[in-house]
Amino acid sequence: FKEFLDKMPPKTALTYKQLSDVLGIPLDVLLALELVETGGNAVVKPDDKVKVKSLAGAVGPLQVMPGEVENVRKFVEELHKEIGQYGRIRSSLDRVKMDILEATGLVEEGVIHIYADRIYPYSPNYDADYARKVGIAILKLSIIDLDRQKLVKNIKRKGWHFEIRKEGEGGGFNLLEVVIAMYNWKPRLVKKALESAGPKNWKKIIPEETKGHRDRFLEYRDVIRIDKNRLLMIIDGKVFLAEKEAEKDKETKAMGGY
């Protein structure tokens, strides 16, 4: 983690800080996710593109499936059609999701900036920080979906089921642990495990790989939290450098420079 943090480019630190602020996800969660997904190799070994592509086809620092990116793009396109037809987004949940995508800059004034080729390490359009933005937006969309639900024990039959929770009600499960498991495994299968075994035993019936992924994520997060003051100091320093560099670039362009 120390090497990952020390070698992190200022622009990447700024990306993480901005995403944490606008999406309300703690920095330790975001950094732990990259460490568990790719070991921080996109920062520590940026030229080793093999390390940021899985056998399953997930790519980039946060191991996003290109198909997931296309699905998000199609979701936004459908919402744009809905706005064109009805003048608004009718579902409050879909409106919240659109707000998330707009907050991350993936949708801006009606223009969609969601491109699968920009997360692929071998593409000439590859942008590691863009790939981080997409991965974290997908994570936040999962959180939004799951946070509105609660897990309820069936009365007349075995198992559990999900239903929409009322304001003030708990979900009956650890939201972060479930979302991280969904990030590694298929969301519908994680939900099926919860419905089959309940909030205490669902982790016993998920794949060993997903169990290990969850355990490593929690370990990384705990390590980051131990030295959180140092983390914030370094991130803030890198963010300052990134902002100064951005200001310099803006001034150069205003003067007609390159």
Side-chain angles (χ1 to χ4, degrees):
F1 169 64
K2 184 179 183 301
E3 185 179 15
F4 171 65
L5 190 58
D6 289 344
K7 290 186 176 181
M8 182 181 292
K11 185 172 176 286
T12 298
L14 179 60
T15 296
Y16 270 130
K17 182 67 166 56
Q18 289 175 336
L19 289 170
S20 176
D21 288 345
V22 300
L23 298 182
I25 305 176
L27 263 175
D28 53 56
V29 170
L30 302 184
L31 298 181
L33 183 62
E34 178 162 347
L35 287 168
V36 75
E37 289 295 336
T38 52
N41 280 309
V43 167
V44 178
K45 301 175 182 178
D47 296 326
D48 191 354
K49 292 181 172 58
V50 175
K51 297 292 186 181
V52 289
K53 183 178 185 300
S54 75
L55 294 175
V59 294
L62 299 183
Q63 294 292 273
V64 176
M65 296 293 286
E68 289 184 67
V69 181
E70 291 299 334
N71 288 338
V72 174
R73 183 179 181 87
K74 289 176 183 176
F75 168 73
V76 176
E77 288 173 345
E78 288 301 314
L79 290 185
H80 280 176
K81 289 179 183 178
E82 186 175 314
I83 293 171
Q85 184 174 358
Y86 299 101
R88 63 186 179 89
I89 296 174
R90 292 176 296 171
S91 163
S92 59
L93 177 61
D94 287 346
R95 178 66 260 178
V96 170
K97 290 182 177 181
M98 180 66 94
D99 288 344
I100 289 167
L101 296 171
E102 290 175 344
T104 58
L106 294 175
V107 180
E108 192 173 19
E109 296 182 355
V111 179
I112 305 173
H113 302 293
I114 303 172
Y115 311 106
D117 65 323
R118 290 187 66 189
I119 71 168
Y120 191 70
Y122 293 96
S123 167
N125 298 319
Y126 174 64
D127 182 335
D129 287 322
Y130 175 84
R132 291 180 175 96
K133 183 184 295 186
V134 170
I136 292 167
I138 289 173
L139 177 72
K140 183 64 177 182
L141 293 177
S142 294
I143 292 173
I144 291 297
D145 267 332
L146 202 59
D147 191 38
R148 63 195 290 269
Q149 301 178 58
K150 65 178 179 179
L151 191 61
V152 180
K153 188 173 179 58
N154 295 326
I155 298 175
K156 296 183 179 180
R157 54 190 174 88
K158 292 182 180 180
W160 304 65
H161 69 273
F162 281 96
E163 59 183 50
I164 302 302
R165 67 180 180 87
K166 298 177 182 178
E167 188 174 351
E169 287 184 326
F173 55 90
N174 187 305
L175 177 64
L176 179 60
E177 287 192 13
V178 173
V179 167
I180 292 301
M182 287 180 167
Y183 197 92
N184 177 259
W185 201 28
K186 294 181 178 180
R188 65 178 179 82
L189 296 180
V190 175
K191 289 188 75 170
K192 189 175 180 180
L194 279 156
E195 289 173 329
S196 174
K200 292 184 178 179
N201 298 315
W202 69 275
K203 288 170 278 190
K204 296 179 181 178
I205 61 175
I206 60 176
E208 290 298 323
E209 179 192 344
T210 303
K211 290 179 187 176
H213 177 274
R214 166 194 163 275
D215 291 344
R216 290 192 304 276
F217 167 82
L218 293 175
E219 287 173 7
Y220 279 127
R221 187 198 61 176
D222 291 344
V223 167
I224 294 169
R225 284 182 171 180
I226 289 172
D227 208 0
K228 195 167 185 178
N229 289 335
R230 178 176 178 273
L231 164 69
L232 294 176
M233 182 178 68
I234 292 177
I235 291 292
D236 285 346
K238 290 178 181 287
V239 166
F240 175 78
L241 291 175
E243 290 174 339
K244 295 295 288 184
E245 188 63 31
E247 288 177 12
K248 184 178 178 182
D249 289 344
K250 188 175 180 180
E251 290 174 359
T252 300
K253 290 178 180 178
M255 295 173 65
Y258 297 93

